[in-house]
Amino acid sequence: MTAHELLRRMPEVLDRAAAEGVDATIQYDVSSPVHHVLQEGELTIHEGPAQAPDLVVRMADDDLVALFRGELNPMTAFMTGRIVVKGDMTLAQRLVGLVDRKRLAELT
């Protein structure tokens, strides 16, 4: 699964309990930029950059897929520069936890 496919299918793997109370716009700067709007437990996908994202995540496509699959440690990726985040750091720390990895594994 490519990064773009994964980002497009995020509503299918969203952990709704973890997303409770999170209202945010998240911009993913990967080879094909996408942004998500998470509001009231619902996630919508939009192609291209967001006008005013709460969080911008910049990383290589393969690293993004590995991150959400649990194959890449977020802190290690951040400390080594494989992931660059800008904006709401609290949201950045919660980002990986918004994905139900069991459902993600079933998709791939």
Side-chain angles (χ1 to χ4, degrees), residues 2-89:
T2 68
H4 191 259
E5 290 169 336
L6 171 62
L7 292 170
R8 298 276 312 149
R9 297 190 75 181
M10 277 296 219
E12 298 173 58
V13 299
L14 179 68
D15 181 335
R16 300 219 186 287
E20 183 91 14
V22 178
D23 289 331
T25 299
I26 305 164
Q27 171 69 46
Y28 296 93
D29 286 343
V30 291
S31 64
S32 190
V34 171
H35 68 277
H36 290 160
V37 176
L38 185 56
Q39 195 167 31
E40 297 179 18
E42 295 298 319
L43 182 68
T44 56
I45 301 114
H46 306 272
E47 297 292 329
Q51 282 194 328
D54 298 293
L55 176 66
V56 177
V57 177
R58 183 173 295 126
M59 62 191 317
D61 289 19
D62 292 342
D63 287 342
L64 179 108
V65 173
L67 180 74
F68 282 115
R69 285 185 175 159
E71 300 163 357
L72 177 63
N73 179 292
M75 187 56 69
T76 301
F78 181 77
M79 297 302 284
T80 59
R82 290 173 71 181
I83 181 173
V84 176
V85 294
K86 188 170 158 184
D88 187 337
M89 293 305 284

